[in-house]
């Protein structure tokens, strides 16, 4: 029988939320293209935007990509704004040129940006028009990754939500796994679900457009990423029913996530235990080793990826840390409910950001570890505060049992490094 | 509309940020949506700065657009003043804010702040990063520089260095030292390192030294007109240019001494016999115009290389670039399209690339060694050590940096003699570099899949086609010639192939035999 750790007497679901607005030190939704274009191997992401958008993509990626990446920016120029050139004609020409050069592309996403939204360039109509032109070989979809509407991971949400209405219909009872996961993690999840006897299982997004899932009233879906609120709503509009669960971070999170699926699909308790006991025990052992360094330490989350709440739950429940503040760009009450139930009352839950004020709170609390964006990490380090760049949590395989200790290590490494360098410095003095 | 994959320059407001971030006591308020804060990481991560850039972003959202974005901007200015108490405030709009036309200058000007407010007009849809930096420096000088008497002792300003500049930190130190050696004091170095109160006293210098025309020339021209300060045209990169710079400075400051050259080693390093193998190495040079033009002269006159191609991404300097290229018997490549640069490098097949971080990636892909000489650059191009490009120490650094990626002299011979040694062979690459051998130079189709260097998704490293087998154009390689070509070390194989094909084509020979290969070799012998 699977026994899960007890819930805290008082969780954070009903805790007051500190809502702030001001300067936000976050990426916009375009950033999601960095991992989405790797995940969907026959898709191209064409941002319709400015030089800033193109510069963001190459700066945020941190990695340069050899050859031609499967994303690009159609940069608006003065004549596009002045109405001298019909932006739609220009766009059609660039798309035709791109698709001629890349015959391997089957899905094209026109991605809206701040400038394209402000000048009200209708990318939805453009996508419809281009789909007709390039059918049946290429399907053209659109979504907005603009900073005026989306924060960082919300770009993936907007992308997946845009795919949902175009998915074929089905009456079959299937499980749909929602969220772009690294292939290795997705394979592990599929393997565990197969051994539980849950199936058929489909994934959104699929690695190739030919494997796109169907959806209908008998579809049951579960989010693998916490930032997919719009996709959640879009799937419900297609009649699919959600499975509410904490997210598969850490041994407990993974077990609760699988247990919620198992309950929906009627998996017998002994079978669930037989499949999950082994990897769960292994994950707990591995996490415990890494957690030695984290136990009793405090953590402060600046808002970044919307992974903050589940990760705070993992660090407080499985690694013995104390959360000072859990900041998130956006708090989806329904999706985050099961997570907030698990976090013992105490930390400040904050939504949105006024970065200077929040930094004042960080400096006052002097947490042992601050999880923040790349723009803040070195400045805080130079003030003597250890940091973990949040973007690494999105770019690294961290879900499911086998990655639970890797996830803990991401938080432990900055502390270990500071201790190493500190010890060396002391020895030298 | 123009499709862009990678960009050499960011938008103009990033240029303005480079100016503000280099300075002290200045704060910038940028009217911009959420997400434009990504620019902070250029400074905190790539340049490893320990402070946030002094920039407040208004962070407007979609719901503000119909409401009061102007109010948000005014509030941000007041908050920024209260919190940071700067000596001056720089205000401007990013690309999106430019479209909503809130007039940051007008709004901030009416707030009655007790410090100068300097507004920048940065046309995001037609100009780029260097323009933004140049314009920011010009407007700072116009707004703040006061008429004043020259210093008693001869002094100059250094203009152009910014945050995130390629080796600006060390160039300023080197040139400051050189000038001091000559008995000339630096009045102000700006923008990097200066405060608004320093900008105010730019007029006290006797003349200006412009190290980076891309980001300092407009201010120098304005100061010449309004403060009567002449400015230097020579960029002291390389031994010869540094000597020419010294001559130019002595023309402006007649009492100046000749500096000490004891630390200059580059001419002897280049003349010593070990460097013989550098003779006529074919080099392709691309980057910002100033660094490329300087590097081309150093490559030809001080290293004995053959400049096989050159160009720049900043169109503003196309004219001098083209003139110099003509002097080299070449056509300058003026483009900000990375793919076009890659095609040009593939066609030229150089033995060395001197470029930016983009060309480093091109070189990696094509298996051609590359040294970085110009922005844009990545984190590894901000070294901990002192590593200027300018002055005499800069000349030493150039020698080391450009030679390092190459296969060394005797090693080159050994590779030619024992081509099929199982561990010391063509594909192993320079022995003083670890890691993997460079990939063979390929002529990939445009549909080559991308491969990431990192990240959580697996790379898709499709094997590159072996180009020596494929015939280019209508010339066919016969089997024996093809085998022989493969025995030629990788770092000259491209050249051998290209020369042979050219040789054959010129003679109307469409099949390359072993004889054709060696005929061509004899023809091109030098």
């Amino acid at each position: 029988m699977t026994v899960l750790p007890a819930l805290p007497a008082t969780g954070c679901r009903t805790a007051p939320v500190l809502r702030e607005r001001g300067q936000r030190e976050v990426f916009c939704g375009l950033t999601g293209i960095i991992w989405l274009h790797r995940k969907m191997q026959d898709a191209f992401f064409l941002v319709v935007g400015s030089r800033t958008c193109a510069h963001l993509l190459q700066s945020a990626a941190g990695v340069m990509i050899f050859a031609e990446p499967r994303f690009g920016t159609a940069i608006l120029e003065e004549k596009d704004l002045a109405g001298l050139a019909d932006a739609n004609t220009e766009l059609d020409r660039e798309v035709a040129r791109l698709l001629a050069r890349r015959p391997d592309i089957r899905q094209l996403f026109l991605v809206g940006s701040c400038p394209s939204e402000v000048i009200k360039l209708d990318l939805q109509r453009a996508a419809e028009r281009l789909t007709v032109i390039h059918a049946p070989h290429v399907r053209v979809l659109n979504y907005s990754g603009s900073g005026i509407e989306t924060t960082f991971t919300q770009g993936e949400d907007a992308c997946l939500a845009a795919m949902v209405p175009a998915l074929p219909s089905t009456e079959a009872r299937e499980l749909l796994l929602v969220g772009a996961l690294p292939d290795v993690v997705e394979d592990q999840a599929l393997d565990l679900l197969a051994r539980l006897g849950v199936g058929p299982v489909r994934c959104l997004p699929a690695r190739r457009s030919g494997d796109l899932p169907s959806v209908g009233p008998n579809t049951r879906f579960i989010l693998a990423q916490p930032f997919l609120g719009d996709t959640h709503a879009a799937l419900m509009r297609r009649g699919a029913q959600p499975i509410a669960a904490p997210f598969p971070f850490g041994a407990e999170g993974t077990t609760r996530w699988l247990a919620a699926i198992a309950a929906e699909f009627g998996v017998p308790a002994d079978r669930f235990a037989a499949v999950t006991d082994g990897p769960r025990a292994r994950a707990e052992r591995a996490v415990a080793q890494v957690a030695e360094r984290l136990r009793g330490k405090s953590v402060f989350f600046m808002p970044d990826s919307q992974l903050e709440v589940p990760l705070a739950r993992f660090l407080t429940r499985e690694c013995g840390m104390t959360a000072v503040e859990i900041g998130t760009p956006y708090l989806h009450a329904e999706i985050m409910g099961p997570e907030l139930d698990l976090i013992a009352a105490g930390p400040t839950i904050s939504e949105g950001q006024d970065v200077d004020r929040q930094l004042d709170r960080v400096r006052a609390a002097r947490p042992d570890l601050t999880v923040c964006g790349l723009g803040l990490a070195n400045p805080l380090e130079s003030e003597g505060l250890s940091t973990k760049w949040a973007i690494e949590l999105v770019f690294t395989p961290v879900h499911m049992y086998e990655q639970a200790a890797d996830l803990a290590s991401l938080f432990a490494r900055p502390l270990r490094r500071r201790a190493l360098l500190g010890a060396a410095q002391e020895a030298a003095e | 509309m123009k499709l862009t994959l990678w960009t050499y320059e960011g938008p103009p407001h990033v240029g303005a940020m480079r100016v503000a971030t280099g300075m002290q006591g200045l704060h910038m308020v940028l009217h911009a949506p959420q997400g434009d804060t990504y620019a902070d990481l250029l400074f905190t991560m790539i340049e490893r700065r320990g402070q946030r850039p002094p920039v407040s972003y208004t962070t407007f959202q979609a719901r503000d657009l119909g409401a009061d974005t102007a109010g948000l901007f005014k509030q941000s200015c007041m908050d920024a003043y209260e919190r940071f108490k700067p000596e001056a405030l720089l205000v401007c709009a990013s690309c999106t804010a430019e479209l909503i036309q809130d007039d940051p200058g007008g709004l901030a000007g009416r707030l009655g702040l007790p410090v100068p407010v300097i507004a920048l007009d940065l046309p995001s849809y037609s100009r780029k990063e260097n323009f933004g930096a140049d314009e920011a420096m010009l407007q700072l000088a116009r707004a703040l520089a006061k008429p004043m008497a020259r210093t008693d002792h001869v002094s100059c300003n250094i203009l152009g260095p910014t945050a995130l500049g390629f080796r600006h930190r060390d160039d300023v130190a080197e040139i400051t030292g050189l000038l001091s050696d000559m008995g000339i004091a630096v009045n102000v170095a700006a923008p990097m390192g200066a405060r608004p109160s320093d900008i105010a006293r730019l007029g006290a210098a006797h003349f200006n030294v412009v190290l980076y025309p891309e980001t300092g020339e407009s201010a120098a021209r304005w100061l010449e007109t309004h403060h009567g300060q002449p400015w230097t045209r020579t960029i002291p990169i390389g031994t010869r240019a540094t000597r020419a710079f010294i001559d130019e400075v002595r023309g402006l400051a007649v009492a100046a001494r000749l500096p000490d050259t004891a630390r200059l080693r580059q001419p002897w390093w280049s003349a010593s016999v070990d460097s013989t193998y550098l003779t006529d190495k074919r080099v392709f040079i691309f980057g910002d115009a100033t660094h490329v033009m300087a590097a081309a002269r150093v490559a030809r006159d001080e290293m004995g290389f053959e400049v096989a191609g050159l160009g720049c991404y900043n169109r503003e300097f196309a004219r001098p670039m083209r003139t110099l290229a003509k002097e080299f018997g070449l056509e300058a490549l003026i483009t900000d399209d990375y793919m076009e640069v890659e095609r040009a490098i593939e066609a030229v097949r150089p033995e060395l690339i001197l470029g930016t971080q983009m060309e480093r990636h091109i070189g990696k892909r094509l298996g051609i060694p590359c040294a970085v000489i110009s922005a844009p650059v990545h984190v590894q191009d901000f070294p901990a050590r002192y590593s200027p490009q300018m002055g005499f120490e800069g000349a030493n650094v150039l020698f080391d940096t450009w030679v390092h990626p190459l296969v060394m002299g005797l090693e080159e011979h050994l590779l030619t003699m024992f081509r099929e040694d199982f561990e010391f062979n063509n594909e192993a690459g320079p022995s003083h570099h670890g890691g993997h051998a460079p990939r063979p130079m390929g002529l990939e189709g445009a549909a080559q899949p991308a491969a990431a260097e990192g990240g959580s998704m697996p790379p898709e490293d499709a094997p590159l086609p072996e180009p020596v087998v494929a015939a280019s154009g209508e010339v066919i390689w016969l089997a024996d010639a093809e085998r022989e070509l493969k025995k030629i070390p990788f770092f000259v194989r491209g050249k051998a192939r290209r020369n042979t094909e050219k040789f054959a084509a010129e003679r109307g020979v469409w099949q390359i035999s072993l004889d054709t290969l060696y005929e061509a070799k004899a023809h091109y012998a030098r």
Side-chain angles (χ1 to χ4, degrees):
Chain A
M1 212 32 221
T2 307
V3 183
L4 288 158
L7 265 57
T10 317
C12 286
R13 197 191 276 254
T14 53
V17 176
L18 172 65
R19 292 196 168 81
E20 282 190 307
R21 67 164 307 193
Q23 177 177 331
R24 287 183 161 208
E25 192 76 20
V26 290
F27 288 131
C28 65
L30 295 180
T31 323
I33 293 172
I34 307 295
W35 63 89
L36 287 170
H37 92 283
R38 310 288 302 150
K39 182 70 193 178
M40 296 188 235
Q41 301 184 2
D42 54 5
F44 194 99
F45 292 81
L46 181 63
V47 177
V48 182
S50 66
R51 180 164 299 280
T52 314
C53 306
H55 197 236
L56 156 87
L57 283 172
Q58 86 183 43
S59 308
V63 292
M64 272 287 280
I65 289 167
F66 294 146
E68 194 179 334
R70 285 190 304 271
F71 61 81
T73 307
I75 294 184
L76 294 163
E77 294 170 315
E78 211 137 61
K79 62 182 172 27
D80 300 307
L81 305 175
L84 295 174
D86 183 355
N88 282 306
T89 315
E90 294 268 309
L91 184 60
D92 290 2
R93 189 196 62 216
E94 287 304 329
V95 166
R97 207 180 273 173
L98 173 73
L99 293 177
R101 205 170 63 223
R102 299 295 303 257
D104 51 326
I105 296 303
R106 305 299 308 274
Q107 302 178 78
L108 174 68
F109 290 93
L110 302 179
V111 188
S113 64
C114 298
S116 78
E117 296 294 328
V118 168
I119 64 169
K120 301 200 185 329
L121 193 58
D122 191 341
L123 292 182
Q124 183 165 352
R125 280 187 56 191
E128 284 164 9
R129 183 178 69 242
L130 287 162
T131 295
V132 173
I133 296 174
H134 297 284
H137 189 70
V138 183
R139 183 203 292 274
V140 185
L141 293 169
N142 78 289
Y143 71 91
S144 172
S146 81
I148 57 176
E149 292 153 306
T150 59
T151 304
F152 194 21
T153 49
Q154 281 180 306
E156 175 176 331
D157 189 23
C159 174
L160 300 190
M163 295 173 79
V164 170
L167 295 176
S169 295
T170 180
E171 294 297 313
R173 181 171 164 81
E174 292 178 339
L175 175 67
L176 183 61
L177 209 57
V178 186
L181 292 173
D183 293 344
V184 55
V185 171
E186 188 177 287
D187 289 342
Q188 284 173 18
L190 293 174
D191 179 57
L192 283 166
L193 291 169
R195 282 159 49 206
L196 289 172
V198 174
V201 184
R202 314 278 179 215
C203 297
L204 182 69
R207 295 179 204 182
R208 300 203 152 264
S209 58
D211 303 328
L212 275 175
S214 300
V215 66
N218 294 314
T219 302
R220 296 293 174 269
F221 72 90
I222 188 154
L223 301 186
Q225 299 282 19
F227 42 74
L228 299 173
D230 286 355
T231 310
H232 186 274
L235 285 165
M236 288 183 70
R237 282 196 293 276
R238 292 287 306 267
Q241 293 301 310
I243 300 173
F247 290 88
F249 298 110
E252 184 190 8
T254 306
T255 306
R256 288 187 186 275
W257 186 78
L258 289 169
I261 298 171
E264 172 64 34
F265 283 80
V267 178
D270 55 344
R271 181 163 190 179
F272 186 81
V275 171
T276 59
D277 280 358
R280 181 182 163 200
R282 186 162 62 223
E284 283 170 350
R285 266 199 319 276
V287 169
Q289 278 175 19
V290 183
E292 272 318 300
R293 194 168 288 279
L294 298 172
R295 209 164 296 284
K297 299 279 200 307
S298 57
V299 60
F300 193 117
F301 280 91
M302 305 288 277
D304 195 74
S305 61
Q306 289 190 51
L307 292 173
E308 295 82 9
V309 172
L311 293 179
R313 182 264 302 159
F314 167 70
L315 291 177
T316 54
R317 286 179 67 86
E318 296 187 45
C319 301
M321 294 187 87
T322 323
V324 178
E325 176 166 336
I326 307 169
T328 184
Y330 177 65
L331 192 68
H332 193 297
E334 186 188 342
I335 293 174
M336 285 303 168
E339 291 285 358
L340 291 168
D341 286 339
L342 290 170
I343 301 174
T348 303
I349 310 284
S350 64
E351 184 186 26
Q353 189 173 36
D354 179 325
V355 71
D356 289 312
R357 280 204 208 146
Q358 198 170 29
L359 285 171
D360 290 344
R361 297 200 294 277
V362 169
R363 291 180 185 119
R366 291 202 72 80
D368 295 308
L369 189 66
T370 304
V371 184
C372 61
L374 295 170
L376 298 173
N378 268 336
L380 287 173
E381 291 279 351
S382 77
E383 293 180 32
L385 292 160
S386 287
T387 60
K388 169 77 233 107
W389 335 331
I391 195 166
E392 204 175 357
L393 301 161
V394 182
F395 280 6
T396 314
V398 291
H399 296 68
M400 308 302 291
Y401 290 125
E402 310 306 344
Q403 283 69 236
D406 298 343
L407 178 58
S409 296
L410 287 178
F411 296 100
R413 195 172 303 134
L415 300 177
R416 193 171 124 68
R417 183 159 188 81
R418 179 167 290 261
L420 277 170
L421 299 180
Q425 206 167 356
E426 270 169 37
E429 277 161 8
Chain B
M1 222 175 266
K2 188 168 187 297
L3 182 65
T4 303
L5 303 168
W6 302 114
T7 68
Y8 285 92
E9 287 182 74
H13 70 260
V14 168
M17 282 183 68
R18 287 175 54 184
V19 168
T21 306
M23 289 180 62
Q24 312 285 323
L26 177 74
H27 199 84
M28 173 167 155
V29 177
L30 181 66
H31 203 16
Q34 160 176 272
D36 282 3
T37 51
Y38 82 87
D40 285 358
L41 77 86
L42 303 170
F43 301 95
T44 62
M45 296 301 289
I46 295 178
E47 202 180 5
R48 299 181 208 254
R49 281 183 177 260
Q51 293 83 38
R52 291 166 62 206
V55 180
S56 296
Y57 302 77
T58 56
T59 317
F60 56 82
Q61 294 175 296
R63 60 168 184 232
D64 300 318
L65 290 178
D68 189 15
T69 49
L72 194 60
F73 178 80
K74 286 190 283 191
Q75 191 60 48
S76 299
C77 288
M78 291 188 291
D79 289 351
Y81 178 74
E82 273 312 306
R83 184 175 276 272
F84 300 105
K85 293 287 184 333
E87 291 174 19
L89 201 64
L90 204 57
V91 298
C92 60
S94 79
C95 52
T96 307
E98 183 183 337
L99 297 171
I100 58 178
Q101 298 182 332
D102 274 337
D103 181 23
L107 291 171
R110 287 191 291 275
L111 289 175
L113 295 174
V115 293
V117 173
I118 302 143
L120 299 180
D121 187 13
L122 303 174
S124 303
Y125 297 90
S126 55
R127 306 307 296 266
K128 289 178 278 191
E129 181 176 332
N130 281 338
F131 168 82
D134 187 60
E135 177 69 10
M137 182 59 215
L138 169 65
Q139 296 307 333
L140 282 168
R142 289 178 68 142
L144 301 174
K146 305 263 187 314
M148 61 177 62
R150 301 282 193 253
T151 53
D152 294 341
H153 186 75
V154 62
S155 69
C156 67
N157 300 313
I158 290 181
L159 298 179
T162 64
L164 208 67
F166 179 60
R167 305 291 162 85
H168 289 194
R169 174 196 73 191
D170 298 343
D171 286 346
V172 170
E174 181 68 17
I175 297 305
T176 302
L178 181 82
L179 291 163
S180 149
D181 233 18
M182 296 174 70
I184 299 165
V186 172
N187 177 53
V188 174
M192 192 163 70
R195 306 183 67 86
S197 49
D198 295 326
I199 303 291
R201 53 186 190 83
L202 281 174
H206 294 235
F207 65 99
N208 287 315
V209 166
V210 177
L211 293 187
Y212 310 101
E214 274 82 355
T215 51
E217 190 174 320
S218 293
R221 287 185 185 280
W222 184 85
L223 287 164
E224 181 176 40
T225 308
H226 294 86
H227 292 260
Q229 292 165 319
W231 52 285
T232 56
R233 270 37 174 208
T234 314
I235 307 302
I237 295 180
T239 300
R240 289 185 183 209
T242 301
R243 292 193 192 284
F245 172 78
I246 291 164
D247 288 345
E248 191 181 5
V249 167
R250 292 179 81 208
L252 298 170
V254 281
R257 298 185 295 267
L258 275 173
D260 176 27
T261 57
R263 286 180 304 117
L264 176 64
R265 300 182 194 93
Q266 183 259 355
W268 168 243
W269 254 242
S270 197
S272 66
V273 291
D274 183 78
S275 296
T276 310
Y277 77 99
L278 299 174
T279 312
D280 290 333
K281 286 266 185 209
R282 301 175 70 255
V283 55
F284 189 97
I285 312 175
F286 196 85
D288 72 43
T290 296
H291 284 88
V292 168
M293 292 192 291
R297 293 195 179 98
V298 174
R300 183 187 62 185
D301 303 334
E302 300 179 31
M303 301 294 280
F305 291 159
E306 178 193 334
V307 178
L310 80 174
C312 68
Y313 55 78
N314 47 340
R315 219 162 266 285
E316 293 92 334
F317 289 72
R319 190 178 290 176
M321 189 75 234
R322 288 204 173 98
T323 309
L324 182 82
K326 202 167 278 173
E327 189 192 316
F328 278 72
L330 295 165
E331 177 104 21
L333 175 65
I334 314 286
T335 181
D336 62 353
D337 182 345
Y338 161 83
M339 305 282 280
E340 208 177 314
V341 179
E342 186 172 64
R343 283 195 293 274
I345 293 175
E346 280 195 41
V348 168
R349 295 179 174 266
E351 290 154 276
L352 176 69
I353 304 168
L354 300 175
T356 72
Q357 61 162 334
M358 317 292 226
E359 285 68 44
R360 179 169 50 224
H361 284 276
I362 293 172
K364 232 186 230 177
R365 201 164 81 82
L366 301 180
I368 303 173
C370 177
V372 169
I373 59 149
S374 160
V377 291
H378 219 299
V379 64
Q380 66 267 51
D381 302 304
F382 287 94
R385 67 178 185 278
Y386 181 61
S387 187
Q389 300 285 292
M390 294 184 174
F392 293 135
E393 185 58 21
N396 297 337
V397 168
L398 293 186
F399 181 89
D400 291 349
T401 316
W402 297 6
V403 167
H404 181 77
L406 299 168
V407 177
M408 287 184 280
L410 280 179
E411 184 174 10
E412 195 174 276
H413 290 304
L414 283 170
L415 284 175
T416 317
M417 287 167 72
F418 309 109
R419 288 165 188 168
E420 276 142 23
D421 183 300
F422 70 97
E423 46 184 11
F424 186 65
N425 60 37
N426 294 344
E427 308 300 336
S431 64
H432 58 297
H433 294 189
H436 55 277
R439 290 194 258 179
M441 212 151 141
L443 287 170
E444 287 92 301
Q448 190 63 35
E453 270 191 303
S456 56
M457 306 296 173
E460 315 155 45
D461 264 328
L464 300 181
E466 175 54 70
V468 279
V469 182
S472 69
E474 289 160 33
V475 183
I476 293 164
W477 285 76
L478 297 175
D480 57 345
E482 189 185 302
R483 268 196 306 276
E484 197 70 9
L485 184 66
K486 280 188 186 170
K487 293 180 191 167
I488 295 173
F490 68 89
F491 46 83
V492 286
R493 194 186 302 147
K495 180 167 75 171
R497 180 178 118 96
R498 182 172 156 278
N499 282 349
T500 309
E501 288 176 2
K502 190 169 159 223
F503 176 85
E506 279 166 9
R507 279 154 192 77
V509 176
W510 302 111
Q511 291 194 336
I512 294 174
S513 66
L514 203 54
D515 275 344
T516 326
L517 178 66
Y518 282 111
E519 286 287 334
K521 184 169 189 284
H523 178 77
Y524 288 105
R526 53 186 175 190

